[in-house]
Amino acid sequence: NDPAPAQAVVIAIAPGGRLEVSGRVEFAQGVSIRVESGALLSFSDRTYVNHDAVIKCACRVQVGREAAISWGAQIMDTDYHALQTGPISQPIRIGDRVLIGSRAILLKGITVGDGAVIAAGSVVTGDVPPAALVGGNPARVLREGVTWQ
């Protein structure tokens, strides 16, 4: 059997959308990124986005230095539809040295503090304190004062 062909990285930027990369950022195969018109997606130095991760940016997503986004993670600053009153899109800020576990989902309007760890499969709907381990659906703080390598 031949190995499966590598999947392309897809980066789609609508007219008026912006992607800013400061330093070296690596994207593994199958990463899918969409930046809508008027939106800004920014990555800082030494950040890695693993295979099959998805980032949907309709207003602003900011990813700090040395962040690690694991395979299959999803980051979405928008619902793309209105379910109730309130904003459809809200910014996401991911701090420095944040580890996002596989298949985690980060939803609009959150801030993830520096050094935080998001457990695999978590759904993050609220802010994450610095150096905290969060997990579950919805994600909650499981431990504080964590470090990762």
Side-chain angles (χ1 to χ4, degrees):
N1 289 348
D2 292 330
Q7 296 176 342
V9 172
V10 175
I11 299 176
I13 303 172
R18 294 184 317 170
L19 172 63
E20 294 180 356
V21 176
S22 172
R24 189 177 129 245
V25 177
E26 291 184 51
F27 300 105
Q29 68 184 19
V31 168
S32 176
I33 293 174
R34 171 84 184 164
V35 181
E36 300 295 344
S37 180
L40 170 63
L41 171 58
S42 63
F43 292 96
S44 295
D45 194 29
R46 296 186 307 260
T47 288
Y48 182 75
V49 183
N50 212 333
H51 68 87
D52 300 325
V54 174
I55 300 173
K56 302 289 187 186
C57 179
C59 70
R60 180 170 180 134
V61 175
Q62 177 184 356
V63 181
R65 292 178 21 261
E66 300 178 24
I69 301 171
S70 192
W71 56 271
Q74 296 182 42
I75 299 170
M76 300 172 287
D77 72 356
T78 186
D79 295 330
Y80 282 107
H81 54 268
L83 293 177
Q84 54 187 306
T85 58
I88 293 172
S89 302
Q90 291 180 295
I92 293 176
R93 183 190 173 283
I94 299 169
D96 295 338
R97 286 205 41 79
V98 169
L99 173 61
I100 300 171
S102 63
R103 299 187 192 268
I105 300 172
L106 281 66
L107 298 176
K108 70 180 184 183
I110 64 167
T111 296
V112 180
D114 293 345
V117 176
I118 311 297
S122 298
V123 178
V124 181
T125 60
D127 291 348
V128 176
L133 167 65
V134 299
N137 180 7
R140 61 182 175 80
V141 175
L142 302 174
R143 192 177 323 151
E144 296 189 46
V146 300
T147 58
W148 66 274
Q149 294 183 0

